Amino acid sequence: METRIIVVTSGKGGVGKTTVTANLSARLAMEGFKVVAIDADIGLRNLDVVMGLENRIVFNMIDVIEGACKLPQALVRDKRVDNLYLLPAAQTRTKDAVTSDQMKELCDSLRGEFDFVFVDSPAGIESGFRNAAAGADEALVVATPEVSSVRDADRIIGLLESFGKTSINLIVNRVRPEMVRSGKMLGVSDVMEILAIDLIGIVPEDDSVVVSTNKGEPLAMTDVSPAARAFEKIAGRIMGKDIPLRDIDDLEEKGFLVNFRKLFGRRGGRS
Amino acid sequence: MGFLDRFFRRETPRKSAKERLQLVLIHDRADISPGTMELIRKDLIKVISNYMIISEEGIEMDLERDGRSVALVASIPVLEVKRKRSREGDK
């Protein structure tokens, strides 16, 4: 298949870009695709620890760009899952160590070698983000249902559009259905209405994410928690499977009847 | 709290978050300050006044959301259309 290069971005920091990158990469590798996850957050690398590969790094992305090593030497192979690789960021350099053109060249050199290339973008809208987006064909925008995150996501979507990216999909992360239902938190439908881009998945708030990050073992590899299932579905949709987004209905019950049922202490009948 | 809010259709935190976001994004997307809006308004009045007499007090001008884009919508009541020869540039 033709290589798909996907940038994972958000604008705001701490909304789950790295978690999404690690889990979708792992999941797609488990499905038999050859996948590489690139950490484009130069100077603040974290994808390595989230994937649990921090002890096996020898070279990094900047070494490849500067010609200090060959690309295959810098790729860290995941021993737990076949076909999964990490291209780490440099930790002791700054974002200025790479240009958009170099990043594009690097991404293009992976075409034909891999099925999927995920680029984990740094937060912000400066050069780091622009470089991460430079080589990508598609974008996944991660947002949490919070005012600041949605606002930043809107800005990022505008910028991606101005870069000429046409395939932009939204992941709403850390949704807390109870709070949405009780009117305390923005729902997925609210976020979608505001951002007006295609939704590719919803990830519920899940303690397992913290545990998996602590262990350095992406959820998708072992777990059957709600977040792991959500990543599995998103990976399926990326593969082109028709998996309906029925989560929205499960997460947010709406309408008169539902309210009526709630009034009498009954749930909508969905499991 | 959630139950009562729903029942009495009170303003929930969810609703206020959505409304505040929608408002702030209109300005983020258009990148137009209220000051600039006022300048546009004055220029519009100047240009249109060359052709017709309009009610300056009756002008409604606002940015509205249209999917992912923003539209400048103006409603300008026309009191009278000027005759061609009375236009400024034709003198």
Side-chain angles (χ1 to χ4, degrees):
Chain A
M1 68 177 264
E2 207 170 301
T3 306
R4 288 169 65 186
I5 303 178
I6 305 171
V7 62
V8 182
T9 184
S10 68
K12 188 177 180 298
V15 299
K17 287 180 294 294
T18 304
T19 304
V20 166
T21 306
N23 280 288
L24 293 182
S25 301
R27 188 65 228 174
L28 285 163
M30 288 163 77
E31 296 281 350
F33 294 99
K34 196 174 174 194
V35 184
V36 59
I38 302 180
D39 191 346
D41 201 347
I42 297 156
L44 289 171
R45 78 174 174 209
N46 273 325
L47 185 57
D48 54 339
V49 283
V50 172
M51 291 178 79
L53 298 172
E54 70 273 18
N55 292 328
R56 305 206 7 244
I57 297 174
V58 181
F59 296 108
N60 60 57
M61 182 217 294
I62 303 295
D63 293 326
V64 177
I65 286 173
E66 291 180 344
C69 73
K70 292 260 190 316
L71 176 64
Q73 292 176 286
L75 293 174
V76 182
R77 192 179 68 82
D78 195 306
K79 289 176 178 166
R80 298 159 295 189
V81 179
D82 285 340
N83 297 322
L84 179 60
Y85 296 82
L86 165 73
L87 180 56
Q91 179 68 338
T92 52
R93 302 290 292 271
T94 65
K95 307 224 171 352
D96 308 320
V98 56
T99 67
S100 282
D101 285 343
Q102 286 171 326
M103 197 59 197
K104 202 170 178 310
E105 208 176 299
L106 178 73
C107 286
D108 284 338
S109 72
L110 296 163
R111 285 189 201 277
E113 301 292 321
F114 289 90
D115 298 312
F116 288 98
V117 177
F118 283 93
V119 186
D120 185 17
S121 160
I125 55 169
E126 296 82 15
S127 63
F129 154 69
R130 285 161 203 267
N131 293 345
D137 315 310
E138 304 167 40
L140 289 176
V141 174
V142 184
T144 59
E146 293 162 287
V147 176
S148 47
S149 170
V150 175
R151 184 187 197 182
D152 291 1
D154 186 77
R155 186 94 171 86
I156 283 292
I157 294 164
L159 286 168
L160 289 168
E161 284 175 343
S162 76
F163 300 161
K165 309 285 176 206
T166 48
S167 172
I168 306 173
N169 284 289
L170 176 70
I171 294 176
V172 185
N173 195 20
R174 309 191 68 168
V175 177
R176 298 166 71 169
E178 269 309 317
M179 287 191 74
V180 177
R181 273 200 286 269
S182 60
K184 291 178 191 160
M185 191 181 203
L186 285 169
V188 175
S189 58
D190 301 323
V191 177
M192 277 177 69
E193 189 186 328
I194 289 165
L195 294 179
I197 59 164
D198 293 331
L199 180 72
I200 198 166
I202 302 159
V203 186
E205 173 83 48
D206 188 341
D207 290 352
S208 312
V209 175
V210 178
V211 176
S212 85
T213 306
N214 288 341
K215 290 198 288 190
E217 191 178 83
L219 276 182
M221 287 185 186
T222 51
D223 207 81
V224 286
S225 66
R229 283 206 308 273
F231 287 125
E232 190 181 333
K233 284 186 189 171
I234 297 171
R237 292 188 192 107
I238 290 173
M239 286 156 57
K241 282 191 195 165
D242 183 23
I243 304 170
L245 276 152
R246 51 186 293 217
D247 326 34
I248 295 185
D249 302 318
D250 291 337
L251 292 168
E252 293 174 58
E253 297 168 289
K254 270 188 181 171
F256 171 76
L257 256 181
V258 172
N259 282 331
F260 188 76
R261 284 198 199 98
K262 274 184 193 157
L263 210 76
F264 294 97
R266 282 173 53 197
R267 278 286 143 74
R270 293 193 189 88
S271 57
Chain B
M1 164 200 170
F3 173 80
L4 285 176
D5 282 339
R6 256 199 317 277
F7 195 77
F8 294 107
R9 295 188 165 271
R10 251 185 286 180
E11 186 79 347
T12 61
R14 175 181 178 177
K15 259 196 195 162
S16 38
K18 189 175 177 184
E19 284 164 11
R20 288 176 59 222
L21 257 171
Q22 282 171 330
L23 202 66
V24 81
L25 287 186
I26 285 178
H27 288 278
D28 282 3
R29 286 174 186 168
D31 198 18
I32 291 177
S33 66
T36 311
M37 282 289 280
E38 194 48 40
L39 290 176
I40 295 174
R41 184 188 158 93
K42 281 182 182 154
D43 278 356
L44 266 180
I45 293 173
K46 209 158 70 187
V47 171
I48 295 172
S49 297
N50 288 340
Y51 301 89
M52 40 187 88
I53 298 167
I54 55 177
S55 156
E56 290 191 25
E57 305 80 58
I59 295 178
E60 281 177 38
M61 206 177 91
D62 225 333
L63 294 170
E64 281 179 19
R65 225 165 50 97
D66 182 16
R68 281 207 54 77
S69 50
V70 172
L72 174 67
V73 180
S75 164
I76 306 171
V78 178
L79 301 177
E80 195 188 324
V81 178
K82 285 187 183 177
R83 284 167 166 270
K84 201 181 173 199
R85 66 174 75 95
S86 67
R87 271 193 223 152
E88 228 172 280
D90 291 350
K91 278 176 201 164

